Amino acid sequence: MPLPQRSKADTISALLKAPWVTAVIAVALLLGALLNPANAPQPVLGWYVDSGLKTLEWDNYLSWLRFNGRGELAGQLEQQLASGDSHAYSAALLSPSFVKDSDLRARDFWSATQIEKWKALRQQTQDQLAASNLYRWGLPDSSPRPARFFTSPFAGGSLWLTALTVFLLVPMAFPLERQLGHGRVLTLWLLGCLLAGAGYLLVARSGQLPFHGAVAPLMVWYGAFLGLQGWRTSLPVWLPGKARTSISLPTPALAAMPLVLLGLLAWQAQPAIANLAAGVLALVGGTLLIQLMRPAEPSVNTETATPADPQDQQALQWGWDALAQLQADAASDAFQQVLDRQPDHFDALTGLFNARRMNQDSNGWIDIAHRLFAHPASEKGQAQQVVGCWQQFRQQQGAKLPSSVGWHLVTTLTRAGEFAQAETLAVSLDHHDTRKPALQALRDALHREGLGHRAKALEV
């Protein structure tokens, strides 16, 4: 039974499954940080000074603040200007209340000629804002137009920090978009922009830099990924010259990545507290939103479900802790205790698989691998874990398996969506009673994926 060659249709199908929503947005964010770094003087602020509008109204604006009980803000703006930060002028430039009050009381402090000049310059303000990249794409805190929440992430920010955030997101993007689908991932991004903008506005004050940059909104995808995981997380890894494999890590350890990025954001961006609030709200919001957006899981019959045994749970915890400390023998003993009571316990099988591999117990490892590959692995996430174990086993021991084990593994690989691996394994197996249902399941899956030509090549 020859293995069919990868066709153009297969390639298109694989591309459609790729995390292209994440990829397109990531590339656009990097280009935004590269082409619009937002660290040059803003044209509208230069115009505010050069046109004479600053001469007419700046002192009046500071007096207006103090008269309205906002003397502390007036002092802060003066300190900003003294430090060379011309964005302080945006507090007056973008204050509709000040403009309205000045229009009513203009005769109190301007001559008729000055009033006409002030009104003419104020009429030019919107055109000047439109010509200023950061203020056009960003989000001035005194003018929170909703559309700017979605464009501000593409307005500059630190290029190196944006690139680091995108790079660390790469191994998460594949499982996240594969599990949620393109639509949910895009929706998460849009909601993340709103959450980040809202977090910024919670603590930003007038005269500060408008919200911009990609790091804070990207936190929503980090939060969503962490919210989908259990106690342990498997991440895909690509090594040069080797097949794709996966590594298993405690999920709390992965939480360190977004926390470090948030710390770097607070150190790099100004104002620090406002940007940190934007990132934290997006991260927490992503973790909570995913609980509402996650795909529906198969219902479990509560009448037949077996409650977890506290003794087994404790033994499993000891086993994983021992593995983390590279104590293979102690881990093996802990997992074996669980298997003595429940021979088909999936977590204990995977734990013992890793422990014996670490201990270089070849015969014991092969035996436990066969038991793991013959496991139904029908609960959520189990098939993907078996795929990772199979890739490790195949690299060290080759692909030869007993038919009674191999056909069960073909079914598991099919359930995990690893159709090419399932087809390759099927070619190497002899006939067995489980062959027909395994091939039928693989053929049905290929038909659903639009790969009918490959399904026809499989003889049931």
Side-chain angles (χ1 to χ4, degrees):
M1 184 175 61
L3 183 66
Q5 298 296 315
R6 186 178 183 87
S7 66
K8 184 177 180 180
D10 300 341
T11 303
I12 294 175
S13 177
L15 288 175
L16 291 176
K17 288 185 177 181
W20 58 265
V21 171
T22 309
V24 169
I25 292 177
V27 170
L29 292 173
L30 291 172
L31 288 176
L34 179 64
L35 301 178
N36 183 35
N39 57 7
Q42 290 299 301
V44 68
L45 299 180
W47 171 84
Y48 184 74
V49 175
D50 298 337
S51 67
L53 186 56
K54 175 256 179 181
T55 303
L56 285 171
E57 67 180 24
W58 182 248
D59 290 338
N60 291 346
Y61 176 68
L62 296 178
S63 299
W64 177 78
L65 288 177
R66 294 187 172 97
F67 180 78
N68 287 279
R70 303 174 68 187
E72 182 179 356
L73 175 58
Q76 291 171 350
L77 294 176
E78 289 178 321
Q79 290 178 5
Q80 274 187 259
L81 285 176
S83 66
D85 184 1
S86 61
H87 284 278
Y89 292 134
S90 67
L93 182 68
L94 302 168
S95 177
S97 300
F98 168 68
V99 174
K100 182 178 180 181
D101 189 67
S102 297
D103 194 31
L104 294 174
R105 300 175 54 247
R107 297 180 185 277
D108 294 344
F109 37 79
W110 289 324
S111 66
T113 303
Q114 288 175 319
I115 291 174
E116 290 301 320
K117 180 179 180 181
W118 178 77
K119 289 184 176 180
L121 290 173
R122 270 292 165 184
Q123 289 177 354
Q124 301 175 31
T125 300
Q126 292 304 317
D127 291 338
Q128 294 295 330
L129 284 171
S132 192
N133 284 342
L134 181 56
Y135 283 87
R136 181 175 73 245
W137 289 359
L139 181 66
D141 61 303
S142 59
S143 178
R145 288 182 286 176
R148 288 181 174 170
F149 283 110
F150 306 116
T151 56
S152 58
F154 302 95
S158 169
L159 177 58
W160 73 266
L161 186 53
T162 301
L164 177 62
T165 306
V166 170
F167 175 76
L168 293 178
L169 187 65
V170 169
M172 303 181 188
F174 285 86
L176 182 66
E177 195 154 339
R178 184 169 186 172
Q179 187 168 355
L180 293 181
H182 305 311
R184 288 190 181 95
V185 168
L186 178 59
T187 301
L188 269 174
W189 167 253
L190 298 177
L191 293 174
C193 293
L194 289 173
L195 287 169
Y200 185 93
L201 292 182
L202 285 174
V203 293
R205 59 180 190 267
S206 298
Q208 291 184 330
L209 280 169
F211 173 60
H212 68 284
V215 176
L218 282 172
M219 288 297 112
V220 75
W221 280 340
Y222 281 90
F225 180 82
L226 294 174
L228 280 174
Q229 307 308 307
W231 172 249
R232 297 189 69 81
T233 301
S234 293
L235 290 177
V237 176
W238 291 266
L239 298 176
K242 295 185 179 180
R244 187 183 70 176
T245 185
S246 61
I247 57 174
S248 180
L249 296 171
T251 300
L254 292 177
M257 285 196 295
L259 294 179
V260 169
L261 291 171
L262 288 175
L264 292 173
L265 176 65
W267 169 67
Q268 179 75 22
Q270 294 296 326
I273 300 301
N275 279 280
L276 182 61
V280 169
L281 190 57
L283 178 66
V284 174
T287 306
L288 298 177
L289 283 170
I290 202 60
Q291 307 309 318
L292 302 175
M293 298 174 63
R294 67 167 69 232
E297 298 181 8
S299 59
V300 178
N301 187 341
T302 56
E303 296 181 358
T304 60
T306 303
D309 187 301
Q311 185 178 357
D312 289 343
Q313 291 298 317
Q314 187 177 38
L316 286 172
Q317 185 62 53
W318 287 343
W320 289 118
D321 289 343
L323 270 184
Q325 298 172 22
L326 304 180
Q327 299 174 358
D329 291 336
S332 296
D333 292 342
F335 293 127
Q336 188 62 54
Q337 290 178 26
V338 179
L339 292 174
D340 288 341
R341 290 187 292 272
Q342 300 186 54
D344 292 330
H345 196 291
F346 183 81
D347 290 341
L349 286 171
T350 56
L352 190 55
F353 174 90
N354 287 295
R356 289 187 174 174
R357 181 173 64 89
M358 184 185 300
N359 203 26
Q360 298 182 347
D361 179 5
S362 179
N363 293 331
W365 185 50
I366 293 174
D367 177 67
I368 204 67
H370 289 176
R371 291 173 60 183
L372 177 60
F373 299 153
H375 193 282
S378 56
E379 296 184 14
K380 180 184 177 183
Q382 291 183 349
Q384 282 72 23
Q385 292 185 58
V386 172
V387 170
C389 294
W390 165 239
Q391 290 170 346
Q392 296 173 22
F393 183 86
R394 187 178 56 185
Q395 290 172 6
Q396 295 190 29
Q397 298 293 329
K400 187 63 177 176
L401 289 174
S403 298
S404 57
V405 173
W407 289 113
H408 282 293
L409 181 56
V410 169
T411 303
T412 302
L413 292 172
T414 301
R415 189 180 298 113
E418 300 291 342
F419 306 129
Q421 292 190 47
E423 292 171 282
T424 302
L425 179 59
V427 171
S428 67
L429 296 174
D430 298 327
H431 285 267
H432 190 266
D433 293 343
T434 54
R435 175 182 182 274
K436 185 173 181 179
L439 284 180
Q440 187 60 54
L442 179 54
R443 291 187 64 185
D444 292 344
L446 290 172
H447 279 297
R448 287 194 298 270
E449 295 296 321
L451 303 175
H453 63 288
R454 286 167 59 177
K456 293 179 181 178
L458 297 172
E459 299 177 0
V460 179

